[in-house]
Amino acid sequence: MSDFLTQFGEDLKKNVPGFIAVSVAEIASGMSYYSQSVVADFDPELASAYNLEVVKAKMNAIKALNLQGQVVDNIMITLSTQMHIIDVSDNQQYFIYLAVDSTKANLGMTKSILNKYKKEIATKL
């Protein structure tokens, strides 16, 4: 698990233009399994803790609206100079939280890399 997450983090840092921070957390407990930031005062574990509430709220909204068969795939929050992407694993047990500089990021490339890893996270954690 550790080697997988280390490789995951290094791959994102190397291949995602504008990379700021990443965290992988469990939805049920909120426990962060991995985090990394290239900005000293940006705490991805703290950001994940707050964004866990966003994920849970969306999951509760899906239940309340009786949207049977629907699951959260991803949530994107756009700030003035950053994009925050919350990508939920295929088994709905984990999420990847990624922050990027919106002036440098390539959204298509970023989502492609995240899609690769979110499938693996469901089986390797």
Side-chain angles (χ1 to χ4, degrees):
M1 175 175 78
S2 178
D3 290 339
F4 165 71
L5 289 175
T6 301
Q7 179 60 42
F8 158 76
E10 290 306 312
D11 191 25
L12 287 179
K13 186 176 167 184
K14 177 180 160 189
N15 294 310
V16 173
F19 174 87
I20 296 172
V22 67
S23 178
V24 176
E26 183 179 50
I27 293 171
S29 69
M31 185 167 93
S32 181
Y33 286 92
Y34 177 83
S35 66
Q36 181 181 131
S37 177
V38 297
V39 177
D41 62 347
F42 193 107
D43 184 350
E45 288 188 28
L46 180 60
S48 284
Y50 280 102
N51 283 299
L52 172 62
E53 298 307 313
V54 174
V55 172
K56 286 182 175 181
K58 193 61 191 170
M59 289 176 160
N60 287 336
I62 288 170
K63 285 180 190 172
L65 294 170
N66 199 27
L67 299 175
Q68 297 172 350
Q70 299 296 312
V71 294
V72 176
D73 183 42
N74 64 63
I75 300 166
M76 189 166 80
I77 301 167
T78 307
L79 305 177
S80 57
T81 61
Q82 297 177 358
M83 287 188 293
H84 294 213
I85 302 167
I86 305 164
D87 221 346
V88 180
S89 66
D90 289 347
N91 64 2
Q92 301 284 289
Q93 293 180 0
Y94 306 96
F95 71 92
I96 301 167
Y97 164 75
L98 176 66
V100 296
D101 180 328
S102 60
T103 65
K104 299 175 184 172
N106 177 322
L107 187 57
M109 180 191 308
T110 301
K111 289 186 62 83
S112 176
I113 292 169
L114 286 175
N115 282 335
K116 170 191 167 194
Y117 281 108
K118 82 176 189 178
K119 291 178 188 332
E120 292 183 42
I121 283 172
T123 60
K124 293 189 177 182
L125 293 186

